[in-house]
Amino acid sequence: MGKEMKRALVIGAGPAGLTAAYELLAQSKEIEVTVLEESGCFGGISKTVEYKGNRMDMGGHRFFSKMPEVNAWWEKMLPMQGRQAWDDAMLGRRVPLAAGGPDPDKKDRVMLTRHRVSRILFDSKFYDYPISLKMDTLKNMGLLNTVKVGFSYFASLVHKLPEDNLENFYINRFGRKLYTMFFEYYTQNLWGRHPREIDASWGAQRVKGLSITAVMKDMLGKMAHKKDRKVETSLIEEFKYPKLGPGQLWDVTAGEVEKMGGTIIKNAKVVRFTKDGKGRLASLVYEKGGREFTLDGDYFISSMPVKDLVAGMDDVPPQPARIAAGLPYRDYMTLGVLVSRLQLKNKTNMRTIANIVPDCWVYVQDRNVKMGRFQIYNNWSPYMVKDLAHTVWVGLEYFTNEGDRLWGMEEKEFTELGISEMLKLGLIKNRKAVLDTHMEKVKKAYPAYFDTYGEMDKLVAYLNTIDNLYCVGRNGQHRYNNIDHSMATSFEAVKNILSGTKDKSNIWNVNTEAEYHEEKR
């Protein structure tokens, strides 16, 4: 007789959850896997939404990793292109091609290589993001501001501030003048809190290794044509991208999970957990179609918001219960706007279809609007837009809190806000340019680094006492991970399950070390 089958219950069908499900099934024949997904689609915030043949990426997802394991995994699911994408072929743009790779004009299951352009729109002028020190930047800033930026930066080198908040973190790396120009308002708009109220670890997470010094080193490396120069994640110039948007990767992964015998239950909201007499999780309860169902499990892999996970347990001590209940999130709204043309002039030397600006996304640093960023889906993948030659498909991004006025807007009112702000920013000439719109909302899109977040270590210590619970992914760990780091938490969780390792520090340590996965080893 063979060993008795064990059951792993995976909560959430986003990057972390589906990676965990796939890896368990690929590496073990003795574990049944069931995935429970609250929504009706895959990918979490990395989903792709299709509207009348045009596709939207929730938040913009560049696929870039220095982890060989992740790159090999992506290649397995979506092979790199072997022929040029439609727009690259039309414009004679060169991109790396994989020998024997699929032709994106003929096959959907393909990963593209795209050129990364992200800029800041400030004072009606474009600035590189991250800030570069080239002549255009200095010209845009003007002589007086340039001098102020220089003195401010050197002052920050001499007098380092204690890095006990995000404001000081930015000032130490960029100087106070650049901070007030390019970081202060955007950060406040993103989080709904002033940077001095936010934990500095968010900066360490998202701006890892980036500073004026890093920008200068990168610029000098380019001038010297150093091919092996170290590149910070925020400075990359190319990235991978699924032909049909980020959700395609997770749709493909979900299909592979089911092929290997895994079960995926959509529209299943996990609401409660029960424990056995030894303090381990024994079962969970999920709601679907107005009814409740119970599933028993041996292993529980959770990528659901840790706030909701803890709220679903009835025996949590007061301290971890309070910390979990106080964890903050930022929600996300986006308005897809199909326009006949954008007013923004392409003053770069980069050729694009219909000569639109080449940006994937643009950070909006204008205190007169609520918009935080806008995406131009045409530049992410030519296959995201139904009529690439004659229309521009734009995503206006807003950061909000569930329950506030912005979140409560009906689609008509939100559309009016978005179009009026496009006019203010000069993105379109008049309302006649707008051909169609579509609104999307995402709850708990961004785990935030304030309120009880400062006590997260105590909550982690409690969660680690439940030895068959594994918290993975962005919301599962309340950490602003990129896709590759979310996947890495699941790689580690699966290793622990299969080896019987009880110490979970390897799972929680993903993306916490200063150099973790930022450099090929």
Side-chain angles (χ1 to χ4, degrees), residues 478-519:
H478 202 86
R479 188 178 291 155
Y480 201 140
N481 284 328
N482 283 329
I483 292 172
D484 58 343
H485 292 119
S486 289
M487 292 174 64
T489 60
S490 290
F491 290 156
E492 297 300 320
V494 169
K495 283 177 196 169
N496 285 16
I497 289 170
L498 298 182
S499 67
T501 303
K502 299 298 182 188
D503 179 8
K504 296 176 193 160
S505 56
N506 57 321
I507 306 171
W508 289 100
N509 284 343
V510 169
N511 199 21
T512 57
E513 300 162 37
E515 291 295 315
Y516 193 88
H517 294 150
E518 292 298 314
E519 186 177 6

Side-chain angles (χ1 to χ4, degrees), residues 65-77:
S65 181
K66 292 186 177 179
M67 300 167 61
E69 193 177 4
V70 168
N71 284 313
W73 205 94
W74 288 342
E75 174 75 24
K76 183 168 51 182
M77 294 298 173

Side-chain angles (χ1 to χ4, degrees), residues 4 23 96 103-104 151 190 203 248 275 370 457:
E4 185 184 342
E23 289 298 314
D103 180 347
F151 278 114
L190 171 58
Q248 182 189 13
K275 289 184 182 168
K370 286 187 166 67
D457 58 334

